[in-house]
Amino acid sequence: MEPIFAIPENFTVDPAKFAAAKAKMDEAGVEFCFSTYVDIHGVPKAKTTPVSVFEKMCHGSELFTLGAMEGMGLVGPHEDEAAAVPDLDTLTICPWDKSLAWFFGDLYYHGAPYPHDSRQILKRQIARAASLGLQLNMGLETEFYVVFVHPETGERTTLSPTKYPGVCPAYDVKQTLDSMEFLAPMARYMEELGWGLYSMDQEGGHSQYEFDFKYGDALTLADRFIFLRIMAKQAADSIGATATFMPKPYANDFRSACHFNMSLASTETGANVFAPEEGTNALAEKYGIPLSNLAYHFTAGILKHAKAITAVTSPTYNSYQGLIAQGDMPDISWAPVMMAYGRNNRSAMMRFPLNRYCVENRAPDISCNPYLAAAVQLAAGLDGIEQALDPGIPLNTNCYDLTRAQLKESGVDLLPRTLLHALEAFEEDPLMDRVFGDFKGIYLAQKMREWNEGYYAINEAHLQKRLNYV
């Protein structure tokens, strides 16, 4: 019997790219490198490889028992291993420790790309878009909390020692200044990496921050999102704090979203094809928002599959504790709860910003696996384009003020109220079969277990309130 290898028999490494990567690592003084991939949750995994055997790593020497990780498939001691092959174009010298080099890798199994690899799932949709002459570009608005956690009591306190006296600390300069021991290193890291940091700010939550940086192609931005989360953890650890990517850690404070700002570019010219066409633009004339017909079709596709998409872009039990209009908060949540779009309308799921030619999905949160989230949105958008779907009349008013009767009359439905409702839609939507393939069943089973764990747990505060209520 012939030996079974993870990588293809004819696999080759580009000698020029290898030499350039090796030279850059030698110049930086790199000692160890990682060829990373992510599990179902978007958590990076890798072995630590000395730079002296970097060439072997490039040829797939590092093998992984994927069944030992959540939601990766190949469960069982009898299954063969997969290899993580570094994408040499993604070399990143870790800015917090120059002795470490990071590559985003691709998993191979039995001589072919591993179909359950999140990065491969996104690549398949990118290839589908390319066959239509299109490329997905994205900008991500990353929000998360950074807090001090007492090692004995578990009490959580904000970075700023100055307690904000009002309702919402968003953009407060004093809160920002008090948090610079975390914000400044993060800004320096992003500048060093060439991400094009636009700004960072104190967000609406207490000790919640947002970093906005330059948009790029979908694969690059998904890679950067993964790296940002690990980088934030390292920066927080350095000051004795914790960066949390739980979407809604506090009932009385804002959720941590991750808005996806998406546009399509022509692979031939690089032009943004969401910009209004010259001459007649039927949908823009009909609905009054200056974007191309393609942008409207793309949006309609996402709205058509919105319930199933939300199971991927808001993937945790806790995600749906944040997709509420108000809840325990003293003010509105600013989270989208309606499957609608509108002109610069932040209360709808889909927003058409007035300052750029893109569409923004406000439902995703910071816990998402960005590869899967980008893949399902791109697939749905392309479905809308191929079918020339019409998104319908935009909602340009405050959706929070609409009654259920008004929503029903307008034909607008609510986003799934729980992970269970989203998963049921995910299971029924045939588009998810085309995107995920066999991985769909694995994703569904994993997330159903998470739903059950969250739903059947007895909440202590609820128990105390209801124990003698009746």
Side-chain angles (χ1 to χ4, degrees):
M1 181 177 176
E2 292 293 324
I4 298 173
F5 295 102
I7 62 173
E9 289 184 13
N10 59 351
F11 185 84
T12 59
V13 176
D14 186 317
K17 289 184 178 181
F18 172 81
K22 185 65 166 59
K24 185 175 181 180
M25 289 192 294
D26 289 344
E27 182 181 358
V30 169
E31 298 178 55
F32 304 102
C33 46
F34 305 96
S35 178
T36 65
Y37 57 95
V38 300
D39 66 10
I40 196 170
H41 308 294
V43 176
K45 307 292 182 180
K47 291 181 179 180
T48 307
T49 304
V51 73
S52 59
V53 290
F54 172 59
E55 186 171 5
K56 289 185 177 181
M57 183 179 81
C58 291
H59 286 87
S61 66
E62 301 315 308
L63 301 177
F64 296 85
T65 304
L66 297 183
M69 284 159 278
E70 289 188 82
M72 293 297 293
L74 297 180
V75 177
H78 61 291
E79 298 287 0
D80 294 325
E81 297 92 348
V85 178
D87 180 343
L88 295 178
D89 290 329
T90 67
L91 168 60
T92 304
I93 308 298
C94 294
W96 63 89
D97 185 346
K98 300 297 195 301
S99 71
L100 305 176
W102 182 294
F103 294 87
F104 293 94
D106 293 305
L107 289 175
Y108 285 84
Y109 178 71
H110 284 188
Y114 184 55
H116 301 167
D117 177 7
S118 297
R119 202 167 187 261
Q120 292 294 339
I121 289 172
L122 174 55
K123 279 186 168 184
R124 292 200 293 268
Q125 293 307 311
I126 290 173
R128 182 182 166 216
S131 71
L132 301 174
L134 300 170
Q135 172 186 292
L136 175 64
N137 288 326
M138 305 190 314
L140 302 175
E141 301 177 45
T142 56
E143 302 173 354
F144 54 93
Y145 286 86
V146 181
V147 294
F148 292 114
V149 182
H150 193 283
E152 295 177 2
T153 66
E155 181 185 4
R156 296 180 296 274
T157 55
T158 61
L159 291 195
S160 172
T162 307
K163 184 173 176 58
Y164 184 74
V167 173
C168 178
Y171 312 128
D172 187 74
V173 174
K174 177 58 177 170
Q175 299 295 304
T176 301
L177 292 174
D178 286 348
S179 306
M180 288 304 288
E181 63 175 339
F182 170 76
L183 296 175
M186 284 291 289
R188 286 193 289 268
Y189 293 163
M190 291 186 188
E191 288 292 300
E192 184 177 326
L193 294 171
W195 287 10
L197 177 66
Y198 292 140
S199 63
M200 56 189 181
D201 64 83
Q202 160 67 53
E203 259 300 307
H206 297 80
S207 216
Q208 184 190 41
Y209 308 98
E210 178 176 321
F211 293 86
D212 295 323
F213 43 95
K214 186 174 175 58
Y215 74 92
D217 69 273
L219 188 63
T220 297
L221 264 289
D223 286 344
R224 287 179 179 176
F225 180 90
I226 295 296
F227 195 79
L228 180 140
R229 287 197 297 210
I230 200 76
M231 188 163 65
K233 285 179 178 291
Q234 293 298 119
D237 287 348
S238 71
I239 61 171
T242 296
T244 175
F245 304 100
M246 185 178 181
K248 179 77 169 175
Y250 306 105
N252 60 352
D253 224 332
F254 290 92
R255 76 190 274 255
S256 290
C258 182
H259 303 154
F260 275 63
N261 292 265
M262 297 170 285
S263 62
L264 292 175
S266 165
T267 54
E268 183 178 349
T269 67
N272 183 352
V273 296
F274 279 8
E277 301 96 334
E278 293 183 9
T280 303
N281 184 328
L283 292 174
E285 292 175 6
K286 184 178 180 182
Y287 298 131
I289 308 175
L291 285 175
S292 70
N293 286 318
L294 279 181
Y296 279 92
H297 298 326
F298 188 91
T299 300
I302 290 180
L303 291 174
K304 174 185 175 182
H305 300 282
K307 291 184 178 181
I309 287 172
T310 308
V312 181
T313 59
S314 301
T316 71
Y317 181 95
N318 176 250
S319 296
Y320 298 84
Q321 295 171 303
L323 285 176
I324 54 175
Q326 183 173 359
D328 289 346
M329 298 182 62
D331 200 354
I332 61 172
S333 71
W334 292 87
V337 293
M338 286 89 174
M339 294 191 306
Y341 80 102
R343 181 196 299 113
N344 216 39
N345 189 352
R346 291 174 175 81
S347 62
M349 175 189 180
M350 304 295 294
R351 178 171 78 110
F352 285 4
L354 297 181
N355 64 341
R356 54 195 184 274
Y357 295 129
C358 74
V359 298
E360 176 184 287
N361 185 355
R362 297 175 58 78
D365 66 48
I366 198 65
S367 71
C368 74
N369 178 329
Y371 302 108
L372 300 181
V376 293
Q377 291 177 91
L378 176 55
L382 294 178
D383 187 50
I385 289 172
E386 290 172 333
Q387 296 186 52
L389 297 180
D390 186 327
I393 299 172
L395 283 182
N396 296 322
T397 59
N398 186 350
C399 295
Y400 297 134
D401 292 339
L402 300 176
T403 65
R404 295 185 71 89
Q406 289 172 320
L407 288 171
K408 188 174 181 180
E409 182 180 350
S410 66
V412 173
D413 200 358
L414 296 175
L415 281 164
R417 306 316 302 140
T418 68
L419 178 60
L420 175 63
H421 291 95
L423 290 173
E424 289 173 341
F426 176 86
E427 184 176 18
E428 295 299 321
D429 193 329
L431 181 67
M432 299 301 118
D433 293 274
R434 300 201 295 272
V435 176
F436 284 80
D438 293 340
F439 188 57
K440 180 182 178 182
I442 295 173
Y443 187 88
L444 187 63
Q446 172 73 34
K447 293 300 174 179
M448 284 299 292
R449 283 196 298 272
E450 293 177 30
W451 159 259
N452 289 333
E453 289 171 3
Y455 182 72
Y456 291 109
I458 304 300
N459 182 291
E460 183 62 29
H462 185 76
L463 175 64
Q464 291 180 11
K465 181 177 180 179
R466 296 289 174 177
L467 189 65
N468 294 305
Y469 198 85
V470 176

